[in-house]
Amino acid sequence: MSERGDAGVSLHPVIEARNLRVGFGGRGKGVPPVRAVDGVELSVDRGQIVALAGESGSGKTTLARTLLGLQRPYEGQVLHHGKPLDYSGRGLKALRRKVQLVLQDPTGALNPRRTVYEAVAEGLRIHKVPGDERELVAKALSQAGLRPAERFFGRYPHELSGGQRQRVVIAGALVLEPELIIADEPVASLDASVRGEILALLLSLRDELGLSVLVVTHDLGLAWNIADRLAVMYLGRIVEVGRTEQVLAAPKHPYTAALLSVLPEATGRTPVILSGESPDPSRIPAGCRFHPRCPALAGGLAARAGIAARCVGESLPVLPLHGPHAAACLLSGHIGDGIAGAAGGSPTGLLSV
């Protein structure tokens, strides 16, 4: 588990985003740029699991790619152990030995013509890791829960179950002894019975190896079961952040409350259906970027609180990198009054690991 000061200040950040802004396009006449990540502060501590949650198009995958050095920001910076990322070929190669990516679809991540041994050994060969290759591969497979490891050496992906394929992908990351794994929807393609096993594996790797994990997900139920901290992202910004149990037991942002309310397992909450689709990221609304879909405005809660005009016209500051449970919302003290029903207590019946 990570060590944190009394004010929640990170003592051992592995990776940090500071005022990060990432954009695409916008070069053609009259074509505004897409602000996929628009002023984000985020950190992952040593031995900590952080969930980054939001709808498709929220910018969470772009943020993850930027933390990996696969996308360069036009403003702000990524820090690895407090030092700005080195975008040279040598610098990025060194980073990717320490920060590994696990993708959603294990079938697509594995070459069907290569054995399990070859898939896991690939990273060792690219990075020219010294030591006995066979022993290192066996160790990684064992850590990923494929035992006895030698029994899997000669198998091909089509001979494995979906859960076993995902464990092979995780072993391919573990073989390099990384500090941080960025897992993009790591269980989305798996059956419910296998999801719990993979989440339990990530928890055990955190506890036994001190591994840090950033889980990119649309599933708040997954975050509840695995994450120490939760950051909720909407239209390029973090709109709520804090310890997972605080955020999900008492959400302060209407977007978080709405996402939580529609979980089929979350009892005691009135489902909130957000109107419309997430806005075009090239045409971000003025003021609070959530206000066109905000149920507090539609239901009159903002008007009763006397701040409806500010919600539409006032831009909110970026949430701080560290600190207690916070939300980028003028209504954060009123969410329990009329958004998503009762906010007290934990969502019950969620996937347990």
Side-chain angles (χ1 to χ4, degrees):
M1 299 290 288
S2 60
E3 301 176 40
R4 305 186 72 82
D6 293 338
V9 176
S10 172
L11 301 178
H12 299 287
V14 175
I15 204 143
E16 302 171 77
R18 294 282 182 91
N19 195 33
L20 207 63
R21 286 181 164 84
V22 184
F24 302 101
R27 296 181 180 180
K29 184 177 180 180
V31 179
V34 174
R35 289 182 281 170
V37 176
D38 190 26
V40 164
E41 305 259 327
L42 183 72
S43 72
V44 183
D45 288 358
R46 186 180 69 192
Q48 183 183 64
I49 298 178
V50 174
L52 179 64
E55 296 171 292
S56 296
S58 63
K60 57 188 189 296
T61 296
T62 299
L63 175 57
R65 287 176 54 83
T66 306
L67 295 176
L68 281 160
L70 298 173
Q71 182 73 36
R72 293 190 70 157
Y74 66 82
E75 189 174 316
Q77 58 184 180
V78 177
L79 304 178
H80 181 225
H81 289 298
K83 297 180 180 180
L85 248 56
D86 177 0
Y87 288 95
S88 68
R90 178 178 295 181
L92 290 177
K93 185 175 181 180
L95 174 73
R96 288 168 192 158
R97 180 170 177 181
K98 295 298 183 181
V99 182
Q100 283 283 299
L101 175 65
V102 172
L103 295 171
Q104 172 181 343
D105 180 13
T107 302
L110 297 172
N111 187 329
R113 296 181 177 85
R114 305 188 72 185
T115 64
V116 166
Y117 181 92
E118 291 166 336
V120 177
E122 182 179 15
L124 296 173
R125 296 167 183 174
I126 290 173
H127 292 275
K128 299 179 180 178
V129 177
D132 186 301
E133 182 181 275
R134 187 178 177 88
E135 288 184 5
L136 293 173
V137 170
K139 177 182 176 183
L141 287 170
S142 294
Q143 288 174 331
L146 294 172
R147 307 184 187 95
E150 290 78 7
R151 185 162 62 91
F152 293 90
F153 278 4
R155 293 192 183 181
Y156 288 87
H158 72 272
E159 298 175 307
L160 305 175
S161 68
Q164 289 174 331
R165 286 193 290 268
Q166 189 63 293
R167 289 176 186 272
V168 172
V169 172
I170 292 172
L174 293 176
V175 77
L176 294 174
E177 299 184 342
E179 306 166 309
L180 169 67
I181 284 179
I182 296 179
D184 192 353
E185 300 282 9
V187 296
S189 63
L190 303 177
D191 293 339
S193 60
V194 182
R195 284 164 48 103
E197 296 176 6
I198 298 300
L199 295 182
L201 171 62
L202 294 176
L203 285 168
S204 68
L205 293 173
R206 177 199 65 184
D207 295 339
E208 295 170 12
L209 304 181
L211 188 69
S212 304
V213 185
L214 176 64
V215 180
V216 179
T217 183
H218 68 281
D219 185 353
L220 292 183
L222 181 153
W224 178 269
N225 281 279
I226 196 174
D228 301 299
R229 284 177 66 81
L230 170 62
V232 180
M233 196 167 185
Y234 180 79
L235 202 56
R237 281 203 171 177
I238 304 295
V239 296
E240 186 161 3
V241 66
R243 292 190 61 82
T244 302
E245 63 269 22
Q246 292 175 324
V247 174
L248 296 185
K252 293 184 175 184
H253 197 284
Y255 178 60
T256 308
L259 292 180
L260 184 60
S261 76
V262 297
L263 285 176
E265 306 91 341
T267 59
R269 300 175 187 269
T270 303
V272 175
I273 307 301
L274 297 176
S275 61
E277 300 293 330
S278 182
D280 183 346
S282 67
R283 304 183 187 280
I284 292 175
C288 171
R289 56 193 63 199
F290 184 61
H291 84 257
R293 304 174 72 198
C294 182
L297 279 171
L301 177 59
R304 294 194 298 274
I307 54 177
R310 291 178 60 197
C311 291
V312 175
E314 183 174 321
S315 294
L316 297 170
V318 173
L319 290 178
L321 182 63
H322 307 296
H325 181 195
C329 179
L330 296 169
L331 284 161
S332 60
H334 303 271
I335 300 308
D337 297 338
I339 304 296
S346 67
T348 60
L350 300 181
L351 175 68
S352 59
V353 298

